[in-house]
Amino acid sequence: MRLTVCFLSLLTVFGTGKCGNVLVWYTEGSHWINLKIVLETLIDRGHDVTVLVPDASLFMKADESDRFSYQPFNVSMDAQEMRNFVDEFLHFSVFEMDQLNLLQIQIKVYELTSKLQDMSLSYCDGILKSPKLMDKLRNGKFDVVLSDPIYQCSEIVAEELDIPLVYTFRFSLAHVAERLCGQIPAPPSYVPGAMSKLTDKMSFTERILNMLFYLSQDAFAIVAWKKIDNYYSEYLGRPTSYCEMMGKADIWLIRTYWDFEFPRPFLPNFKYIGGLHCTPAKPLPKDMEEFVQSSGDDGIVVFTLGSLIDKMPKEMSNRIASALAQIPQKVLWRYGGEKPDTLGENTRTYKWIPQNDLLGHPKTRAFITHGGTNGIYEAIYHAVPMLGIPMFGDQPDNLAHMKAKGAAVVIDNIKTMQPQELVDGLNAVINNSSYKENAMRLSRIHHDRPMKPLDEAVFWIEFVVRNKGAKHLRVEAHNLTWYQYHCLDVFAFLFTILTAVLYVFFKLSKLFIMRCCFRSKQKSKKE
Ligand SMILES: *[C@@H]1O[C@H](CO)[C@@H](O)[C@H](O)[C@H]1NC(C)=O
Ligand SMILES: *[C@@H]1O[C@H](CO)[C@@H](O)[C@H](O)[C@H]1NC(C)=O
Ligand SMILES: *[C@@H]1O[C@H](CO)[C@@H](O)[C@H](O)[C@H]1NC(C)=O
C-alpha cells in the first residue's frame, strides 16, 4: 500500500525519485505542532516517518492514532521534573524579569539554560548510550534526520548513522546559531538580532545596542555551550564543538518569511518556510457562528494570550474585561480562568477556540494576541490587523516586526495596562484603515510565492533524500578560520607589500633628491 502511494506520488510530481525513511528528533510545544504537519505531509507522499520520543515528555505522547511510528527511549528525568522546569521558566519570564536588572537577568538565563542543557544531555544519554537503541537506528536504514534543535545531539546521531541532517526552527537568540554555526551573514548595521526588538532601520544608538547584543550573546553562547562541546568531543572521541557539528546540517528550514522578516542576506541552504501550518478557515461550531453573526456590521475581535498563560490574577482579568466591554464588537476570548466580574454582554470566554477558523472569518476585525509566531502567521495569512500584548520570549520581538510593518499596535506591559489603553489600541486597529491595509499587503506577499511553504519544506527534505544530502549548497566559509573569513591575512599581506613599496619609494626619492641637490650645489660652486 505504502509503496503504491509512494510510486503514484512520485509519478505525478517528479517523475523519478525514491521514497525516504525519515528519522525525526523529539521536540516540544508549538515546535511539535509545526513539525507534525510536515510529517503528515511526508506520510501522505509515501515516506516512512519515525519519531524519537522520550518516555518522559510533556507534549509528545506516542499516540496510537498517528500514522507515523514512535521510537521511545529511556530518560532518567520524569515528566514532573520537566513540568517544574517549564513552570520556573514561565514564572521568571512573566513575573520576575522586570524586577531584575540586566546582569541578574543574564545570570538567571544562564542558570535556566544550564538546567535545560542538563535535561537535554540526559536525553542524549538515553539515545546515544543505549547500544540497543543505536543498533536499532543503524539497522533502520534511515535517509535523513529531521531536527528542531531545541534539544541537542541530533547532529551526533546523523554523524553516527552517516546520513544528512535537516534543521527546522524559527531562530536562535541574536541568531547566534545561524551566524556562528550556519555561517549566515548578518551585518549588525541593518540585521537586528533576534529578540532585540529592533528593526532594520536603526539609529546610531540602536546600532551600538545591536552590536553589543550580538557580541554579548556570542560570548554567552561560547560559555554556555562548553558543556555540550565537551559532551560531543567525549562521545565522538575527537575534539569538536557543538557549533562545528551544527554547521554540518545540509538544509536549514527557517519558520519565517519576508512578510515577517526584514530583508537580509541569506545562504543557498537556508530556506524560509514561515506559515506552513496555515490553512483556509473551516466552518465554526453552530453556537459560535450564531454569536459571531450577531455582531452585525461591527464584527468580532478574537482574543488569546496563548496556551501557556491560561490563568491570570483576578484583578488583571477584570481590567481587561472592563475594557472589552466598551467596544461595539463582539469578543471571543480564549480564557481558562474564572469568569471576570466585569465581563460585558459582548464578550464570551472559551476554554479553547478554533483560532485559525475565527481569524479566517469575514466578520473578524482584529486579533488580540500575545505575539507567538504561529498566531501571527495565522493573522498574516487571513489579513487580520493585530493588537499585541507580548508576554515573554520572542513575543515582544515578533510584535515589534508587525508594528514596524504597520499591521499592529503594541501594548508594552500587561501588568500596568489601563483599560483605556486597550480600548484606544483597539479603536486604532479597527477604525484606522491603515492597519487593515498593511495586514492585507502582508497577506498578499505571504500568498504570492512560487511554492506554498509546506510544499517547500517537504521538497527540500525529499531533495536531501534523493541526492543524499545537499552539501553543494554549503558555503566554504565553514572551512575557513575567522581571520581567513574576514580576509585579515590578505589585508595583512597587502599591507606589508604596500608598506615595503612605500618604504623603497621613500628611500629612493630621498637618494634622488640628495643627489640632484648635491649636483646642483656642486654646479653652482663651479659657476
Ligand atoms: C528502557 O528501559 C526498559 C526497562 O528498564 C528496558 O526494558 C528497555 O529495553 C529500555 N529501552 C531502551 C530503548 O533502552
Ligand atoms: C470606531 O468609530 C466609531 C464611530 O465612527 C465608534 O462608534 C466605535 O466605537 C469605534 N470603534 C471602536 C472599536 O471603538
Ligand atoms: C492611522 O494610523 C497611522 C499609523 O499609526 C497614523 O499615521 C495615521 O495618522 C492614523 N490615521 C488616523 C486618521 O488617525
Side-chain angles (χ1 to χ4, degrees):
M1 180 61 185
R2 188 176 77 79
L3 280 176
T4 321
V5 173
C6 173
F7 183 68
L8 286 178
S9 72
L10 288 174
L11 215 63
T12 49
V13 183
F14 295 110
T16 62
K18 78 181 270 241
C19 273
N21 195 0
V22 183
L23 181 64
V24 181
W25 208 245
Y26 54 92
T27 182
E28 292 287 2
S30 59
H31 298 246
W32 174 231
I33 296 172
N34 278 287
L35 198 56
K36 204 167 168 186
I37 295 161
V38 176
L39 304 186
E40 268 157 10
T41 313
L42 284 170
I43 289 184
D44 286 343
R45 295 175 55 79
H47 304 285
D48 259 337
V49 174
T50 304
V51 187
L52 278 165
V53 19
D55 53 7
S57 169
L58 286 182
F59 297 94
M60 289 178 68
K61 293 272 175 303
D63 186 345
E64 296 288 311
S65 64
D66 287 332
R67 291 177 300 156
F68 29 84
S69 26
Y70 286 100
Q71 175 58 60
F73 62 90
N74 295 336
V75 285
S76 50
M77 184 173 290
D78 65 14
Q80 190 52 46
E81 263 176 280
M82 266 173 62
R83 185 76 249 175
N84 294 347
F85 173 78
V86 172
D87 287 345
E88 186 184 350
F89 171 76
L90 280 181
H91 186 78
F92 163 69
S93 356
V94 182
F95 298 106
E96 266 182 291
M97 199 132 104
D98 37 295
Q99 286 149 29
L100 304 176
N101 66 35
L102 218 60
L103 186 67
Q104 285 170 317
I105 290 179
Q106 199 64 274
I107 290 172
K108 183 80 191 182
V109 168
Y110 184 80
E111 269 172 34
L112 287 173
T113 311
S114 168
K115 250 186 206 173
L116 183 66
Q117 267 175 17
D118 288 343
M119 214 158 89
S120 186
L121 291 181
S122 83
Y123 282 21
C124 290
D125 282 348
I127 297 171
L128 296 172
K129 300 198 173 156
S130 158
K132 200 170 121 194
L133 181 56
M134 283 307 283
D135 277 344
K136 201 166 167 190
L137 294 182
R138 277 192 200 96
N139 297 331
K141 305 242 176 309
F142 291 103
D143 294 300
V144 58
V145 176
L146 177 61
S147 158
D148 183 331
I150 48 170
Y151 293 115
Q152 283 88 28
C153 291
S154 56
E155 304 81 18
I156 296 192
V157 169
E159 176 96 353
E160 288 284 295
L161 304 185
D162 196 17
I163 54 176
L165 172 64
V166 173
Y167 276 145
T168 162
F169 69 109
R170 160 86 167 76
F171 73 94
S172 61
L173 190 61
H175 301 301
V176 172
E178 298 94 306
R179 284 185 296 115
L180 298 187
C181 318
Q183 294 295 344
I184 197 165
S189 51
Y190 69 95
V191 180
M195 301 269 270
S196 65
K197 289 198 261 178
L198 296 169
T199 71
D200 58 346
K201 292 184 189 62
M202 288 179 263
S203 66
F204 178 67
T205 331
E206 285 171 332
R207 278 182 287 130
I208 293 180
L209 285 178
N210 198 37
M211 176 67 97
L212 290 179
F213 185 54
Y214 273 30
L215 292 176
S216 60
Q217 292 313 316
D218 291 1
F220 180 77
I222 289 169
V223 176
W225 287 347
K226 261 273 147 326
K227 209 187 254 175
I228 310 178
D229 293 348
N230 293 340
Y231 188 95
Y232 276 35
S233 302
E234 197 177 308
Y235 187 85
L236 292 171
R238 59 181 154 85
T240 183
S241 69
Y242 178 40
C243 207
E244 183 189 335
M245 295 297 290
M246 278 185 106
K248 295 192 173 184
D250 292 77
I251 299 279
W252 300 58
L253 299 173
I254 309 290
R255 285 198 299 264
T256 55
Y257 187 60
W258 310 113
D259 45 16
F260 176 92
E261 293 282 2
F262 302 112
R264 55 163 296 163
F266 58 100
L267 296 175
N269 61 343
F270 277 68
K271 308 292 171 189
Y272 291 79
I273 53 158
L276 60 81
H277 67 290
C278 301
T279 54
K282 291 189 290 293
L284 299 173
K286 193 157 164 288
D287 56 334
M288 199 177 265
E289 177 67 32
E290 272 164 20
F291 181 60
V292 169
Q293 287 303 338
S294 72
S295 66
D297 286 341
D298 286 322
I300 60 160
V301 170
V302 183
F303 180 13
T304 167
L305 294 181
S307 50
L308 289 175
I309 308 288
D310 237 6
K311 297 187 179 59
M312 55 180 91
K314 184 117 197 181
E315 175 272 328
M316 194 188 276
S317 63
N318 274 334
R319 257 187 293 145
I320 292 177
S322 70
L324 296 176
Q326 295 174 41
I327 62 169
Q329 284 75 26
K330 297 269 154 98
V331 183
L332 293 95
W333 180 5
R334 177 194 167 150
Y335 182 55
E338 197 187 324
K339 206 169 151 180
D341 308 321
T342 53
L343 202 68
E345 283 285 294
N346 66 335
T347 310
R348 279 194 193 168
T349 59
Y350 298 85
K351 283 219 158 27
W352 177 85
I353 53 172
Q355 184 172 298
N356 186 54
D357 304 334
L358 279 169
L359 290 175
H361 199 284
K363 285 219 182 290
T364 302
R365 300 288 179 264
F367 179 36
I368 310 178
T369 172
H370 60 301
T373 321
N374 284 352
I376 287 188
Y377 259 108
E378 285 167 13
I380 291 178
Y381 185 95
H382 297 294
V384 180
M386 288 162 257
L387 178 79
I389 310 179
M391 312 288 279
F392 61 86
D394 60 338
Q395 297 159 5
D397 192 51
N398 293 343
L399 286 168
H401 282 229
M402 287 300 104
K403 187 177 170 186
K405 290 173 189 272
V409 168
V410 180
I411 290 175
D412 283 329
N413 193 338
I414 190 171
K415 272 163 280 177
T416 59
M417 177 182 74
Q418 291 309 309
Q420 196 55 41
E421 249 180 289
L422 187 56
V423 176
D424 291 345
L426 278 172
N427 267 333
V429 169
I430 296 169
N431 279 2
N432 180 339
S433 61
S434 79
Y435 294 98
K436 176 69 182 175
E437 279 157 19
N438 283 320
M440 283 167 69
R441 183 175 52 83
L442 293 184
S443 190
R444 276 197 305 276
I445 296 169
H446 179 84
H447 289 282
D448 198 353
R449 60 217 259 189
M451 212 174 188
K452 288 201 183 98
L454 181 55
D455 293 339
E456 181 157 11
V458 169
F459 172 84
W460 284 108
I461 295 166
E462 291 183 341
F463 180 95
V464 162
V465 169
R466 283 195 299 272
N467 297 291
K468 304 208 179 332
K471 293 283 186 269
H472 69 295
L473 296 178
R474 227 173 133 262
V475 285
E476 193 56 23
H478 289 285
N479 301 327
L480 300 180
T481 61
W482 61 273
Y483 57 86
Q484 287 172 329
Y485 181 92
H486 293 288
C487 280
L488 296 186
D489 49 350
V490 175
F491 282 124
F493 175 73
L494 292 181
F495 184 73
T496 317
I497 301 244
L498 187 68
T499 327
V501 169
L502 283 178
Y503 179 77
V504 170
F505 179 74
F506 181 69
K507 279 282 171 202
L508 280 180
S509 48
K510 211 168 154 190
L511 203 72
F512 182 72
I513 290 168
M514 262 171 64
R515 262 209 189 158
C516 87
C517 295
F518 187 61
R519 262 192 211 156
S520 58
K521 268 184 200 160
Q522 274 183 336
K523 254 187 202 171
S524 58
K525 263 185 196 169
K526 270 183 196 167
E527 274 167 15

